[in-house]
Amino acid sequence: MAFTRATGKHRRPSRMQRTTARAAGVAALTTTGVVGTLASPALAAEAAAEQTGLTPVITIGDSVAEQIDAQAVAQQQAADEAAAKKKAEEAARKEAAEAAKKAREAKERAAREAERKRLNTFVSPISGSYVSTSYQAGGAVWSSGSHTGIDFHASSGTSVRSVGMGTVVEAGWGGAYGNQIVIKMHDGTYTQYGHLSSIAVSVGQSVTPGQQIGLSGATGNVTGAHLHFEARTTAEYGSDIDPAAYLRSHGVNV
């Protein structure tokens, strides 16, 4: 009986074709370092040089090929995990930087607001004192016939403070007022401090609420040490307004 040789699509690949294909796979994996990481005894046990008559090729068993495939997959998975971890770390760093920026901006805004409130605050010119002579009190002692300011009780040498933020426009001798200071306030009004024993500021100087500007005394036309305080619409005498009402309108209890 005669046998015919299998041909066409049902023909089994020759041993030459199978070994050549596996050799190509090994060469590719070797360049990526995969084969190099396999235990040499396993490779030696299942891989052997085969002479085809053309070029020596390597025949690799199925189990070794599966190990190579598995290790390639594991390496790819490790690379993917490392990339994902790096991406997550970068996102975390970015989020932390954004949070730190927002916190810093919030702190700066709070500081600016606190400073704004501080600069807009008004205080009494004499800490812990009281009004000893009221506004527009009558008497021959005043040249205008009435008191143009209010007097704060204070012994000589007591600290006198600017009631608010402003700029010094007068600092020196003021006739009946003795040593005096006139400050243009940030809202355009003026405050005056008279009968001082000493002056601690100069014309053009900026002052802040509560800043010491001089010491109380008994200079000028007085009967005893105290602080004469006025609120004015201009820097000049005669433009006075009720200083007690002025301070109360700015939150100072007198």
Side-chain angles (χ1 to χ4, degrees):
M1 179 182 295
F3 294 95
T4 60
R5 186 175 182 181
T7 60
K9 67 179 179 178
H10 300 294
R11 182 177 180 182
R12 182 180 180 183
S14 68
R15 184 177 182 84
M16 174 64 178
Q17 290 174 317
R18 294 197 305 274
T19 55
T20 302
R22 283 189 172 176
V26 170
L29 289 170
T30 301
T31 62
T32 62
V34 174
V35 171
T37 60
L38 293 175
S40 57
L43 183 61
E46 297 200 19
E50 178 181 349
Q51 295 293 336
T52 63
L54 297 175
T55 303
V57 298
I58 300 176
T59 303
I60 302 177
D62 290 340
S63 63
V64 176
E66 289 172 358
Q67 290 180 49
I68 294 173
D69 292 342
Q71 186 160 1
V73 170
Q75 288 181 344
Q76 184 59 49
Q77 183 178 358
D80 292 342
E81 290 175 352
K85 182 179 180 182
K86 182 179 180 181
K87 184 177 181 180
E89 289 174 347
E90 291 176 351
R93 282 195 297 270
K94 183 177 180 180
E95 184 177 354
E98 286 293 328
K101 180 181 178 181
K102 290 180 179 179
R104 183 173 61 254
E105 290 174 347
K107 185 176 180 180
E108 290 172 352
R109 283 195 301 271
R112 287 194 299 270
E113 179 63 17
E115 182 65 6
R116 184 188 69 78
K117 288 182 178 179
R118 186 185 74 83
L119 294 177
N120 288 329
T121 297
F122 274 65
V123 300
S124 174
I126 300 287
S127 178
S129 184
Y130 59 89
V131 175
S132 58
T133 305
S134 62
Y135 178 57
Q136 292 186 337
V141 68
W142 297 289
S143 59
S144 63
S146 64
H147 199 205
T148 55
I150 57 177
D151 291 342
F152 281 90
H153 174 77
S155 58
S156 185
T158 301
S159 176
V160 175
R161 308 182 300 176
S162 172
V163 297
M165 180 176 67
T167 303
V168 177
V169 294
E170 291 184 31
W173 187 255
Y177 289 112
N179 292 322
Q180 69 160 357
I181 297 171
V182 178
I183 298 174
K184 182 179 182 180
M185 311 307 291
H186 75 283
D187 63 357
T189 59
Y190 293 79
T191 55
Q192 184 244 19
Y193 313 76
H195 309 310
L196 304 175
S197 61
S198 66
I199 295 173
V201 292
S202 56
V203 173
Q205 181 177 340
S206 296
V207 293
T208 56
Q211 178 179 333
Q212 180 174 307
I213 57 176
L215 299 177
S216 63
T219 58
N221 186 14
V222 295
T223 57
H226 67 279
L227 171 70
H228 176 84
F229 174 79
E230 286 189 21
R232 300 173 175 176
T233 57
T234 72
E236 304 304 322
Y237 170 81
S239 64
D240 53 280
I241 56 178
D242 186 345
Y246 174 83
L247 290 175
R248 291 190 189 106
S249 71
H250 289 91
V252 181
N253 185 23
V254 293

